[in-house]
Amino acid sequence: MEISGKLIKILQEVRGESQRGPWVRGGFVIETDGEYPRQVAFTTFGEDRLAMVKSLALNSPVVVNFNPESREYEGRWYTDLRCTRIQNYVPGQMPPAATGYAWPTPPAAPVQPAAPVAPAAPAAAPAAAPAPQAAPFASMPNPEEDLPF
């Protein structure tokens, strides 16, 4: 997944030792663009990814590639956004994301000129109306309308 925004904070790094050797974890926070900006925190593991974050200036526009990961502990769920790559946003180099989310756009279909339409002959009897079909997910609530605020 990919998201763009402004780097607003670099979090403190944590170092430790495991059976496989030493490790380091860090993090950072970005603020997305758009009408309703959001602050999003990411974690990074390893010296190489921490170096990517430290090489960027605060308040600079960035693009973050990440993998969301959730886990359950004692009946509660926790979600972690693990950064796989962070880089400066350069206009023209990557697609802009006005809302902070970079969704891929489908290729535009070529426009075909309209063919001339011949006048239709009057119908003898009206055709039977097709039977109404239920929407495939009609029973599912719209998450946009179910917000508590």
Side-chain angles (χ1 to χ4, degrees):
M1 299 180 90
E2 186 176 276
I3 189 171
S4 63
K6 177 176 62 170
L7 180 65
I8 60 171
K9 188 171 188 176
I10 297 176
L11 304 175
Q12 186 175 3
E13 61 186 54
V14 177
R15 295 182 177 272
E17 185 80 30
S18 71
Q19 291 178 347
R20 291 190 256 171
W23 55 266
V24 62
R25 180 185 73 208
F28 60 94
V29 180
I30 68 166
E31 185 172 85
T32 62
D33 301 328
E35 187 177 351
Y36 303 105
R38 305 272 189 224
Q39 293 182 348
V40 184
F42 295 90
T43 59
T44 58
F45 281 92
E47 292 286 347
D48 57 336
R49 292 195 178 113
L50 265 153
M52 283 191 294
V53 175
K54 290 178 181 179
S55 70
L56 301 171
L58 286 178
N59 296 316
S60 64
V62 294
V63 175
V64 181
N65 291 63
F66 65 97
N67 293 322
E69 183 179 302
S70 296
R71 63 193 170 285
E72 187 257 340
Y73 178 73
E74 294 183 358
R76 301 188 109 187
W77 283 90
Y78 300 90
T79 300
D80 190 22
L81 302 178
R82 293 192 179 200
C83 172
T84 57
R85 184 177 64 183
I86 181 171
Q87 59 191 18
N88 278 325
Y89 171 74
V90 179
Q93 189 177 47
M94 291 174 260
T99 62
Y101 299 97
W103 298 105
T105 55
V111 177
Q112 299 289 334
V117 179
Q133 294 181 344
F137 298 105
S139 63
M140 293 182 65
N142 183 351
E144 297 281 328
E145 297 172 359
D146 196 29
L147 296 175
F149 49 95

